[in-house]
Amino acid sequence: MDIDEVPIKTVRISFHIFQKDDGSENIPDNPAGHDYLDMVLDNMNDDMASLDNFDYTTTSPYFQDSKIRYEVVAIHFWENTEMWSKGDAASPSVWLSNGNDLYDFVMNKPISYKNYSIHLLMPGNYSGDGSTVGGVACDAGCNDWSMAVGSYLWYQNTGGLPNNPNHWDPAINWRHELGHNLGLRHIFSASESCSDTPNCQDCNNNLMDWIKPQSSLTQCQLSIMHHWLENNSAVGKSGLPNYNIEGQVYWPGYSSTLNPVNYVSNSLVHVTLNEPDADLFNWTLSYGSAYWQSDNDGKDLEIDYSGSSGTSMNFEVETEYNCNTISRKVGFEYSGNLYSIHPNPMVNELTISMNDETYNKIVDNSNFTNKNGHYLKVYDQYKSLVIEKVLVANFGSRTIEVPGLKPGLYTVELQNPYFKKTFKVQKL
């Protein structure tokens, strides 16, 4: 994935701080505690916007901006000694089990963004010396939760800076665990699938190693995270692309936006695709028959209904864009026989009729009766409008008096919300 071409994606996260029953021994629910969490978040995003260059050999280009940001949508302080005790660093082997317990606890509460944010869990009861401070995620590609142990130690440790609690270490920790949430594994893991990451442990500055500052990400790792977000968008707040195949449908004298079902009044139809900026589109006919072909790498589609007994054609068009497969189902209904006019030549009146079978097909597929009706316009040979009328939705047959028209050639135009049909009529 070309990271320079993707939008910045914002991911929703929720902080959960577990205190003792009396509200003690963890980050406090007061201005100082909230300011601290703000500093942690700011540090997380600053580092994601300004990744360090690699201190190892890699085939990856360097991208300074990861194009991923985090936004806290909820902060919860839970006074519950049982849940607070899940952060005992003396038993890291049960961190995953403890994290699941904490996640189950918060999911049973009436909280906002329950299913639309990644829950960052901070229990207490840390009894280590700092060497086992760390965290765990529910799994690679699991967006439910991550857990950090030793949060209160970080809050209490100023790192030698007065009035400045250690917010940089938890920021590193959360970025690492959120890397797991968004699909990454440790670079030294046997299941890690990126060829541009180093295969070693505690030896480099990659975010998914264990040695600080954990400050770089390769193109493959960034692609995995972005691709995961684009296909699992529940926790994404913004920047997630709405990939869709768009286009225009043309036939002589008219055009319209490409719709799921396109009613066309001419036997010759041309489609031009313009979104996204992909190199190749593949068209597959899934129903119907008529002559068709695609060219210009599939960006153009030609349909010729002339000489065909069928009127319906359904296609599926597919393309690849920035590591994503995009497809769209598109149908075409030849409706050129919806309107008929007689007599031709005309004398003092002109009758417009509708084909009931074609009309009913359009109604069934488009809720046609709730649209404005049909518009009749008659132009003389100089393209001056001489007759204009609005016909009801299902007019069946309508006769128009034309005694005042001079002899000559006229263009009769009939239009509805889906297409326009023109006829040439002689006036005697």
Side-chain angles (χ1 to χ4, degrees):
M1 184 177 289
D2 186 350
I3 305 305
D4 286 335
E5 296 298 320
V6 301
I8 293 177
K9 299 176 177 65
T10 301
V11 184
R12 290 185 291 259
I13 59 176
S14 295
F15 281 139
H16 298 269
I17 297 90
F18 296 87
Q19 304 164 332
K20 279 188 164 183
D21 291 340
D22 60 2
S24 65
E25 296 194 37
N26 211 331
I27 300 169
D29 184 8
N30 60 25
H34 286 263
D35 288 345
Y36 173 72
L37 295 174
D38 287 342
M39 287 189 291
V40 172
L41 178 68
D42 289 344
N43 196 290
M44 291 167 60
N45 285 328
D46 288 346
D47 287 346
M48 294 299 282
S50 185
L51 297 172
D52 284 344
N53 215 326
F54 312 110
D55 67 357
Y56 49 90
T57 301
T58 175
T59 59
S60 171
Y62 167 58
F63 295 100
Q64 181 177 4
D65 192 342
S66 71
K67 297 290 189 76
I68 293 174
R69 305 289 188 271
Y70 300 105
E71 179 176 318
V72 176
V73 293
I75 299 176
H76 299 281
F77 292 86
W78 305 104
E79 295 182 1
N80 187 298
T81 300
E82 180 183 0
M83 295 297 108
W84 168 87
S85 68
K86 299 291 183 178
D88 185 357
S91 53
S93 62
V94 297
W95 281 359
L96 186 62
S97 175
N98 287 351
N100 281 319
D101 290 343
L102 293 169
Y103 177 70
D104 290 342
F105 174 87
V106 301
M107 292 299 282
N108 283 317
K109 303 297 182 180
I111 57 175
S112 59
Y113 296 100
K114 180 180 291 187
N115 298 306
Y116 300 100
S117 67
I118 302 176
H119 298 276
L120 304 188
L121 312 168
M122 289 173 269
N125 196 33
Y126 179 76
S127 58
D129 59 3
S131 62
T132 53
V133 169
V136 63
C138 50
D139 199 359
C142 166
N143 66 349
D144 292 339
W145 61 268
S146 281
M147 183 183 75
V149 297
S151 301
Y152 192 43
L153 176 71
W154 280 322
Y155 175 76
Q156 291 176 308
N157 180 4
T158 66
L161 301 175
N163 304 315
N164 187 21
N166 182 348
H167 59 275
W168 48 93
D169 280 331
I172 293 172
N173 185 72
W174 285 130
R175 287 189 295 108
H176 176 96
E177 300 307 333
L178 285 163
H180 288 308
N181 292 128
L182 302 187
L184 300 185
R185 297 185 182 276
H186 293 130
I187 58 172
F188 47 83
S189 169
S191 56
E192 203 271 346
S193 58
C194 287
S195 62
D196 58 3
T197 59
N199 184 18
C200 57
Q201 182 174 336
D202 292 344
C203 64
N204 61 83
N205 69 342
N206 190 275
L207 178 64
M208 302 314 293
D209 196 4
W210 278 349
I211 188 172
K212 294 175 183 178
Q214 297 166 277
S215 54
S216 69
L217 284 164
T218 66
Q219 183 175 24
C220 175
Q221 291 174 312
L222 290 168
S223 297
I224 288 174
M225 297 170 80
H226 280 278
H227 189 266
W228 189 93
L229 282 168
E230 290 174 9
N231 290 276
N232 301 271
S233 59
V235 298
K237 179 194 174 185
S238 63
L240 298 175
N242 182 22
Y243 291 138
N244 195 16
I245 298 174
E246 306 288 353
Q248 287 287 120
V249 184
Y250 301 89
W251 59 91
Y254 198 66
S255 68
S256 66
T257 301
L258 183 66
N259 294 303
V261 179
N262 302 272
Y263 299 95
V264 296
S265 62
N266 195 281
S267 60
L268 298 176
V269 183
H270 179 81
V271 180
T272 299
L273 301 180
N274 50 43
E275 289 288 347
D277 185 19
D279 295 327
L280 177 66
F281 294 88
N282 295 312
W283 291 87
T284 303
L285 180 66
S286 57
Y287 177 80
S289 64
Y291 174 76
W292 69 277
Q293 68 174 12
S294 63
D295 53 20
N296 191 20
D297 291 330
K299 295 178 182 178
D300 295 315
L301 175 72
E302 302 285 346
I303 301 174
D304 185 355
Y305 282 106
S306 62
S308 172
S309 59
T311 60
S312 302
M313 298 181 73
N314 293 335
F315 292 86
E316 181 164 352
V317 58
E318 184 179 87
T319 188
E320 296 288 330
Y321 182 65
N322 222 352
C323 300
N324 289 273
T325 300
I326 313 160
S327 64
R328 182 176 182 182
K329 294 181 179 179
V330 183
F332 298 91
E333 292 278 352
Y334 173 63
S335 303
N337 64 341
L338 174 62
Y339 303 116
S340 61
I341 62 173
H342 62 277
N344 189 7
M346 60 183 174
V347 182
N348 291 320
E349 61 183 27
L350 179 68
T351 299
I352 303 98
S353 301
M354 280 202 307
N355 181 290
D356 289 340
E357 181 180 352
T358 303
Y359 175 79
N360 289 332
K361 181 183 289 187
I362 297 175
V363 170
D364 291 342
N365 286 282
S366 64
N367 199 20
F368 186 62
T369 53
N370 288 342
K371 303 289 186 181
N372 293 329
H374 310 256
Y375 298 89
L376 169 70
K377 294 181 180 180
V378 181
Y379 298 89
D380 64 17
Q381 59 184 324
Y382 305 107
K383 297 183 180 180
S384 296
L385 181 64
V386 294
I387 296 176
E388 182 175 16
K389 291 184 180 294
V390 178
L391 309 178
V392 296
N394 184 11
F395 62 84
S397 182
R398 176 78 178 271
T399 298
I400 307 297
E401 300 293 333
V402 293
L405 296 184
K406 297 177 181 181
L409 186 64
Y410 290 84
T411 299
V412 178
E413 177 185 288
L414 285 156
Q415 184 173 348
N416 58 54
Y418 299 97
F419 63 85
K420 178 170 63 177
K421 179 73 173 179
T422 59
F423 301 87
K424 296 295 184 180
V425 181
Q426 185 73 33
K427 171 68 166 63
L428 298 177

